[in-house]
Amino acid sequence: MTPISAHWQAVKTRIAVATRAAGRPVGTVTLLAVSKTFSAAHVKACHAAGQIAFGENYVQEALEKIAALAGSLANPAIEWHMIGPIQSNKTRSIAEHFAWVHSVERDKIAQRLNDARPAHLPPLNVCIQVNVSGETSKSGIAPGAEIALADMIATLPRLRLRGLMAIPEPTPDGAVRRARFALLRRLQQALIARGHPLDTLSMGMSDDLEDAIAEGATVVRVGTAIFGARETQ
Ligand SMILES: *Cc1c(COP(=O)(O)O)cnc(C)c1O
């Protein structure tokens, strides 16, 4: 086993253990491998271990990896998820090359992604990013504002609203961590009650995926625990 496949397997085990501990059926939490700052070769090693879905924060960096890997994978199935802040001049590239966007936080971006989604591809899966920690430094819309944005996205035929995403501030206080994740879950449930057919709660990273799974995460986004420490950011 390569170090990446061993780390990947360890993360899969952490997810299964946490899912069982939460009394949830194993297999209800999927792993998004966050490959930002790591090379196409790293992605390829993780993909060879069995990983299909990869998360990227920077469009240009992702496009380079997508091009480098095209035609070179033993199993051609690979799925790219945009998880970083979105600039409006990047919406076309995102709509053309990604299967999911976790970080939608503005009407204008949703509209542009919808308009640019190519007709030969299925609707783009999207999550609304909510700022559950109330920090000015973090992206995401304020809790409550996701309702109007969800209603707007539901009118866009080339987008499929799947759920909510959050990046809570790091804290050593487990109760605070759990409360942030629980808030996102309550917001999702309110949208479901409003008639939005959501199935996704994208929350939890290398350091807090167990708490996120305990509070209902369906997708955990894990970078460091698979690929190692990042040199930048
Ligand atoms: C970098 C990043 C992650 C992964 O964080 P790790 O702590 O390395 O697991 C998850 N989600 C988002 C949005 C990120 O930017």
Side-chain angles (χ1 to χ4, degrees):
M1 276 207 286
T2 66
I4 287 177
S5 66
H7 291 154
W8 177 80
Q9 193 56 59
V11 171
K12 296 286 282 185
T13 301
R14 276 177 68 191
I15 292 170
V17 168
T19 306
R20 233 177 272 119
R24 301 175 53 193
V26 171
T28 53
V29 181
T30 61
L31 170 60
L32 180 63
V34 177
S35 44
K36 66 176 178 217
T37 80
F38 289 97
S39 69
H42 288 80
V43 173
K44 195 170 180 175
C46 190
H47 187 266
Q51 180 67 25
I52 299 292
F54 291 87
E56 291 281 341
N57 291 53
Y58 311 104
V59 176
Q60 196 51 43
E61 181 192 329
L63 294 182
E64 285 164 20
K65 284 177 221 180
I66 292 168
L69 291 168
S72 85
L73 297 173
N75 164 13
I78 189 164
E79 190 178 273
W80 295 96
H81 293 230
M82 176 66 189
I83 62 174
I86 300 171
Q87 296 168 305
S88 50
N89 64 352
K90 296 287 173 23
T91 47
R92 175 163 301 279
S93 296
I94 294 168
E96 289 175 351
H97 295 283
F98 287 77
W100 282 72
V101 178
H102 293 234
S103 45
V104 174
E105 53 178 354
R106 285 193 288 149
D107 282 31
K108 181 185 163 196
I109 295 295
Q111 185 72 55
R112 289 177 67 101
L113 290 169
N114 176 78
D115 296 349
R117 182 66 169 173
H120 70 276
L121 295 176
L124 183 63
N125 296 295
V126 302
C127 293
I128 295 171
Q129 184 175 350
V130 181
N131 181 351
V132 292
S133 302
E135 293 168 292
T136 49
S137 61
K138 282 271 161 60
S139 28
I141 58 173
E146 77 286 352
I147 296 172
L149 183 53
D151 291 352
M152 184 267 177
I153 291 172
T155 69
L156 300 175
R158 303 298 294 144
L159 301 187
R160 183 168 167 217
L161 183 62
R162 299 294 296 268
L164 301 179
M165 182 274 240
I167 314 171
E169 88 283 23
T171 165
D173 186 337
V176 171
R177 275 203 304 273
R178 291 278 293 260
R180 304 303 191 209
F181 292 136
L183 170 59
L184 196 72
R185 192 231 280 257
R186 284 199 305 279
L187 298 177
Q188 188 218 32
Q189 286 169 340
L191 289 176
I192 291 170
R194 195 177 168 82
H196 293 289
L198 307 183
D199 60 9
T200 301
L201 267 180
S202 170
M203 59 188 195
M205 314 198 298
S206 293
D207 289 339
D208 58 11
L209 68 89
E210 283 83 4
D211 287 318
I213 290 170
E215 295 297 343
T218 65
V219 180
V220 293
R221 309 176 311 269
V222 178
T224 308
I226 298 173
F227 296 108
R230 288 179 292 275
E231 284 179 13
T232 51
Q233 70 158 116

